Amino acid sequence: MKTPSHALIASISACALALATQAATAQTKPAPQDEPDTVILSDTLHYDDINKTSTFTGNVILTRGAMTLRGDKLVTHEDAQGKQFGTATAAKGEVVTIRQENPEKFETLIATGLQADYAGASGDITLTGQAIVIRQICGQTFDNVRGARIIYHEKTGTYEAFGGQNSAAAGGRVRSLAQPQSRIDQAIAQCKAKKGRP
């Protein structure tokens, strides 16, 4: 399935966890000046230089530009080839949340799940358990996908959603809702008019 709006939604997850894995080595590898800083707040941090692993625990908040990731624990590591991997998990009764703001389009993209995994080798991002991706325009929800597991393949711009026992959709199924582009364009125009923007 290749749907631009859903690809855009899911890509925030890949971006967020890729950035999280890069944050662990930020002290030794200076970032290009045109990239925003990555800041991670947590109750504790354990960094293992030998194994190239960082473990952030307790109310973890990662911010980079207009993107925010929230979870209970974030573990990042790098393999011998320099490929980066990250796993964000939620506390019991909570979810991992990744939020990306796009003020120019009055758009907010939100991805949630009990766990989010990023695989640097393949570029895949997997949301597992109560997985949901949502696109909002001016605070109003337009697109969403719900399932037990959602995988976004960054290299091909495609995604897969799977039902199962821990699906966010009723009956353990996958549920997808996408609004016509004309409605999205109309919502953006209305938002521009309200805010007095051309």
Side-chain angles (χ1 to χ4, degrees), residues 70-139:
R70 293 176 181 268
D72 183 60
K73 184 176 181 181
L74 174 63
V75 180
T76 67
H77 70 277
E78 185 176 303
D79 67 15
Q81 289 73 44
K83 301 292 184 183
Q84 297 172 332
F85 301 83
T87 298
T89 53
K92 189 173 182 179
E94 302 290 333
V95 292
V96 174
T97 302
I98 303 166
R99 184 182 183 97
Q100 176 76 46
E101 303 283 348
N102 186 345
E104 290 182 11
K105 295 184 178 179
F106 306 100
E107 182 179 68
T108 303
L109 303 175
I110 303 165
T112 60
L114 301 180
Q115 179 171 313
D117 294 282
Y118 175 74
S122 64
D124 291 352
I125 174 71
T126 303
L127 290 165
T128 306
Q130 297 293 309
I132 303 172
V133 288
I134 294 172
R135 179 185 185 197
Q136 295 179 337
I137 304 293
C138 242

Side-chain angles (χ1 to χ4, degrees), residues 152-167:
Y152 176 67
H153 305 285
E154 187 177 23
K155 290 181 180 177
T156 60
T158 60
Y159 74 94
E160 299 172 87
F162 301 88
Q165 243 179 358
N166 208 3
S167 177

